[in-house]
């Protein structure tokens, strides 16, 4: 049977840490807790489960903190847990069975992350596969009988284990502050982080967040080194900010930039919202219809499903027409 180190980074988790550890502690052979500056009873609660508790000065970098936690692990595999997760009885049994039969050539085990939509800030689906269990020391193996090469791609196993995600609050404001700090520091966001920032804005951002993000995404929209996907994400953000500011010129420019290619549901919905605000309900209804039926969403699935359908129904009612 494999041995597993549980590695966690925590800060002010006194309300949920025991719940998490109670659900997984007996499945683990080692528990590593890295505290990034708690001012509550988090470390005292952690001490009930392990003596391997470390301090790490927070530098607005989750990867740095997780790398530090992983560096303290000593077992075969590392299970990366968050304090707002819970493994229920059924999935604890699946976890134990996996632990007994996991083949040593598996590098990564993915588990299903559930309950995403209750307090999620950047998710369009309630359940998704995530890498959760990692082989601590990876072996390099030669492959092919001729023209041999080292196997570089990890062997990934998709398990049926579901990890319940039960955050106590929305972390969007924290995430936006981290994005802005790194942008001001000159960091060029990767394509993945660019998408995550835009998606989190569209799912959890308020007017202030869109206005703060507008300068960064306005530059993306004219950056020749950005991909078409990134440009389309950017113009959605800038279009929303322009509508908030009442800047019709920018709204028109950004929407046309998007509609030169296959339009997005987000852009159609923004145009619907603009015309709805101007009480031009016939024009608004057309754009809501296109958002719901003719274009895909790229950031928030609600812009192609319930939101435009509800607005379309409102327009039809105001216009005295049946759907």
């Amino acid at each position: 049977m494999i041995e597993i180190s549980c590695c966690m980074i925590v800060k002010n988790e006194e309300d949920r840490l025991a719940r998490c550890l109670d659900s997984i502690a007996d499945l683990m052979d080692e528990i590593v807790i890295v505290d990034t500056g708690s001012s509550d009873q988090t470390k005292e609660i952690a001490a009930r489960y392990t003596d391997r508790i470390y301090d790490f000065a927070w530098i607005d970098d989750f990867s740095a903190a997780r790398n530090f936690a992983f560096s303290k692990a000593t077992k075969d595999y590392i299970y990366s847990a968050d304090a707002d997760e819970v493994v229920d009885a059924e999935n604890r049994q699946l976890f134990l069975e996996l632990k007994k039969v996991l083949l040593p050539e598996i590098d990564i085990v993915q588990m299903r992350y559930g309950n995403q939509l209750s307090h999620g800030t950047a998710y369009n689906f309630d359940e998704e596969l995530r890498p959760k269990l990692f082989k601590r020391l990876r072996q390099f193996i030669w492959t092919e009988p001729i023209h041999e090469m080292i196997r570089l791609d990890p062997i990934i196993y998709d398990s049926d284990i579901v990890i319940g995600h039960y955050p106590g609050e929305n972390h969007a404001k924290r995430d936006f502050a981290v994005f802005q700090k790194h942008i001001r520091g000159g960091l060029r966001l990767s394509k993945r982080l660019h998408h995550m920032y835009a998606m989190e804005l569209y799912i959890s951002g308020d007017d202030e967040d869109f206005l703060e993000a507008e300068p960064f995404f306005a530059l993306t929209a004219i950056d020749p080194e950005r991909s078409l996907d990134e440009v389309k994400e950017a113009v959605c953000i800038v279009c929303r900010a322009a509508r908030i500011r009442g800047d019709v010129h920018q709204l028109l420019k950004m929407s046309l930039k998007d509609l030169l290619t296959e339009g997005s549901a987000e852009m159609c919905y923004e145009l619907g919202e603009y015309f709805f605000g101007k009480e031009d309900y016939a024009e608004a209804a057309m754009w809501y219809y296109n958002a719901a039926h003719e274009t895909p969403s790229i950031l928030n699935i609600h812009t192609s499903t319930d939101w435009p359908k509800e607005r379309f129904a409102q327009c039809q009612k105001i216009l005295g027409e049946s759907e």
Side-chain angles (χ1 to χ4, degrees):
M1 182 187 299
I2 64 166
E3 291 191 328
I4 300 176
S5 299
C6 173
C7 289
M8 303 178 68
I9 57 172
V10 297
K11 181 179 180 180
N12 293 336
E13 308 284 5
E14 65 178 7
D15 294 335
R16 56 188 71 91
L17 182 58
R19 179 187 64 181
C20 172
L21 290 174
D22 284 343
S23 76
I24 62 172
D26 61 332
L27 297 170
M28 303 298 152
D29 301 282
E30 175 180 71
I31 297 175
V32 175
I33 304 289
V34 171
D35 189 274
T36 61
S38 293
S39 57
D40 62 5
Q41 298 297 306
T42 294
K43 291 170 74 173
E44 288 77 4
I45 294 170
R48 301 176 199 165
Y49 302 86
T50 181
D51 60 358
R52 305 207 58 201
I53 302 171
Y54 303 89
D55 291 313
F56 182 82
W58 181 240
I59 55 173
D60 289 318
D61 189 330
F62 285 96
S63 290
R66 290 205 188 276
N67 285 336
F68 178 76
F70 274 34
S71 75
K72 301 300 182 182
T74 65
K75 302 304 180 182
D76 305 319
Y77 283 82
I78 299 173
Y79 177 66
S80 180
D82 289 327
D84 55 11
E85 298 173 1
V86 176
V87 182
D88 63 22
E90 178 183 354
N91 288 287
R92 278 170 44 80
Q93 185 59 38
L94 291 175
F95 203 123
L96 181 60
E97 292 171 5
L98 174 71
K99 189 175 177 181
K100 291 177 180 177
V101 303
L102 188 65
L103 299 174
E105 57 263 33
I106 300 296
D107 296 310
I108 297 173
V109 176
Q110 296 202 121
M111 300 177 186
R112 299 186 181 279
Y113 213 57
N115 198 39
Q116 287 285 76
L117 298 180
S118 295
H119 294 281
T121 60
Y123 304 102
N124 284 309
F125 303 97
D126 204 41
E127 190 174 290
E128 66 171 359
L129 281 169
R130 280 193 182 186
K132 294 292 289 180
L133 189 65
F134 306 85
K135 194 167 187 178
R136 187 174 66 87
L137 297 177
R138 188 177 175 197
Q139 296 176 329
F140 290 97
I141 299 173
W142 289 93
T143 62
E144 308 293 0
I146 190 171
H147 298 304
E148 65 280 4
M149 62 176 293
I150 291 288
R151 176 174 61 80
L152 298 176
D153 293 334
I155 296 178
I156 300 173
Y157 171 67
D158 295 341
S159 75
D160 293 323
I161 299 169
V162 178
I163 309 298
H165 183 220
Y166 302 99
E169 66 280 331
N170 188 304
H171 296 302
K173 289 293 185 180
R174 176 202 67 188
D175 294 349
F176 296 149
V178 173
F179 278 122
Q180 283 295 317
K181 177 181 178 179
H182 287 291
I183 289 169
R184 290 192 295 271
L187 175 69
R188 180 180 175 84
L189 296 189
S190 66
K191 184 176 181 179
R192 173 179 172 273
L193 281 183
H194 186 281
H195 176 69
M196 293 297 293
Y197 189 13
M199 186 165 62
E200 194 162 3
L201 278 168
Y202 239 89
I203 291 174
S204 303
D206 57 26
D207 288 359
E208 179 185 352
D209 299 321
F210 274 89
L211 294 176
E212 184 179 41
E214 183 181 10
F216 168 74
F217 285 102
L219 290 175
T220 289
I222 58 173
D223 186 343
E225 295 184 6
R226 290 288 187 180
S227 68
L228 176 61
D229 289 341
E230 291 168 294
V231 171
K232 290 178 73 65
E233 292 165 359
V235 298
C236 287
I237 303 303
V238 178
C239 188
R240 168 71 69 87
R243 181 168 64 80
I244 293 168
R245 294 187 292 101
D247 186 341
V248 179
H249 174 77
Q250 184 76 319
L251 178 68
L252 176 63
K253 185 169 74 171
M254 289 295 108
S255 60
L256 289 176
K257 186 180 288 289
D258 179 69
L259 296 172
L260 284 172
T261 61
E262 180 187 25
S264 65
E266 284 79 3
M267 188 59 67
C268 291
Y269 184 78
E270 287 300 328
L271 290 170
E273 289 288 271
Y274 171 77
F275 288 110
F276 189 92
K278 295 297 182 181
E279 300 183 357
D280 187 344
Y281 300 112
E283 189 70 16
M286 180 193 74
W287 288 109
Y288 289 135
Y289 181 89
N290 275 277
H293 300 289
E294 302 294 338
T295 51
S297 60
I298 61 175
L299 296 172
N300 188 337
I301 197 170
H302 288 290
T303 59
S304 63
T305 53
D306 53 318
W307 291 358
K309 290 178 181 178
E310 289 170 4
R311 282 297 211 194
F312 182 82
Q314 285 181 266
C315 292
Q316 295 296 82
K317 184 177 181 179
I318 293 169
L319 294 169
E321 301 177 10
S322 60
E323 285 194 58

